[in-house]
Amino acid sequence: MSRLDFAPKIDDIKVTEIKRGLGVFTPKPGKAASFAALKATLKKAGYTLDSAEITVAGVLAREGAGWWVEVEGSKQRFAVEGASLQQMMGEIAEGSRVEITGDWQTVGKDADLRETIRARALKKVEAAPPANQELLTGISNVQVALRGTGGEPNPPVAPVRTTSPGLTVYQGGAVTPRYFYARQHLGGLKVNRHSLRVAVSYTPTPTLQFEAEVPFNSTSFDDGTGAGSGRGLGNIMLWAKHRFYRTLETWGDKQAAVRFGLELPTGKKDAPDEVELSAPEFVRRQLGAIDGGFAVHADLTFSQAHHRWIYGANLQGALRSERDGFRLGHEVRLNTDLEYVLLPFKYRSPTKELFLILETTTMLRDRGRARGQTVAGSSSSEFYLAPALQYIATSRLVLEASLQLPVSHSSGAQALRTDKNLLIGVRYLY
């Protein structure tokens, strides 16, 4: 709704009862409101507006056989209808200041298009309010009821490591800084990796999202005879995601999306030399800040929410090119996601949810290249489990943590093995 001119900021829209899909907001002062525009915007976001009740304050006017109320701030006019209208009006005369509450609709076409209120309550306002009392000089309350949103909670959240088909719900997007710590080994070689990845996304339409991610990597190693470290910018990632399917049901939300990414050869390409580490070229190049040069990524993702459960999966592939004769192997990943809303036990409105999450990753990586030659013993087959916690602190702020652990790992003699991977992230929606 924040895409509408008359809608307030998202933080000012209050969900009063999520099981019945009820929400309340006060439109911006001085802006004309439209039921048809509200309904169309919600439909684009995947929701069906079942009904809306509105409260309007203004001057009562008569035109022919009909009654109108004109909002003093925006000068917008609402046609007032209702079987008991004359009874509710009583002694109220034309030109009086009134407050009307009732069912809101947009009716007619073209020149006959108008906003109507089927009055449920009508009262006279005795005097003009002070200028700073906006609620009495315009539309003070709109209560919307969305069809097909009842049941258990279904907040717009995303898994931690599995690609989500969802888009950010604000006109804008999200800023997501994430810290990763990974411990790896290969024989007697011990490797510690620290990475800070900052992603910024933007959602221009209800079906399209763009994202850019900038990583900064730091690596240290020790093989028992010597140690070293290095740090630098990694390859920048650019993503475009199209959500091509979404359906809302009484007990959940299904959606699917396709995403394409370009990995740009912007990262630092330096790696330890033979003096710093006595190891094959391919092993030493894995300790740098990049996995190769230009790469193309693509994935297909699906998720389903049902009561307090959310489950989903995504299939992702990467085709890499060489940079200075080095690249990791081409890669295919299958990620799965299972989530449960642990808190609150009695769910009435969004935010303050605590999610228990279990994700899996199955990865197949082909042989890589070093010095422009295919490297034997550089392929790998890996399977990981990643328990996680996610907390929806506010309608804009999400906190998350995940620990990825290996279950099985079959790799060649020159492929580093991951012992654990810790992720701590923050997502801020703007």
Side-chain angles (χ1 to χ4, degrees), residues 161 163 239 291 295-300 313-320 327-336 360-367 378-384 404 410:
R161 297 178 186 267
T163 303
W239 293 98
D291 294 333
V296 177
H297 298 252
D299 63 41
L300 179 67
N314 83 285
L315 180 64
Q316 180 176 344
L319 294 175
R320 297 188 171 96
R327 67 162 171 81
L328 291 183
H330 306 311
E331 187 177 292
V332 175
R333 291 176 183 243
L334 174 64
N335 299 309
T336 68
T360 72
T361 297
T362 302
M363 185 186 73
L364 301 175
R365 181 182 291 153
D366 196 7
R367 289 182 297 175
S378 59
S379 61
S380 64
S381 173
E382 306 165 28
F383 177 70
Y384 297 91
Q404 189 180 66
S410 176

Side-chain angles (χ1 to χ4, degrees), residues 78-128:
F78 291 80
V80 184
E81 303 173 351
S84 304
L85 180 60
Q86 292 297 331
Q87 181 180 352
M88 285 186 286
M89 289 180 60
E91 301 295 324
I92 301 176
E94 182 180 2
S96 300
R97 289 182 175 86
V98 295
E99 186 179 86
I100 301 174
T101 298
D103 181 63
W104 179 26
Q105 292 285 334
T106 301
V107 299
K109 291 184 178 180
D110 301 327
D112 192 41
L113 191 69
R114 63 193 184 278
E115 303 298 316
T116 67
I117 302 175
R118 181 165 293 275
R120 180 179 58 79
L122 186 154
K123 66 180 180 179
K124 185 177 181 180
V125 180
E126 295 295 340

Side-chain angles (χ1 to χ4, degrees), residues 117-155:
I117 302 175
R118 181 165 293 275
R120 180 179 58 79
L122 186 154
K123 66 180 180 179
K124 185 177 181 180
V125 180
E126 295 295 340
N132 63 347
Q133 291 189 11
E134 298 284 1
L135 296 184
L136 294 179
T137 62
I139 305 169
S140 60
N141 183 74
V142 175
Q143 177 173 286
V144 297
L146 303 180
R147 187 187 310 154
T149 60
E152 295 297 335
N154 182 26

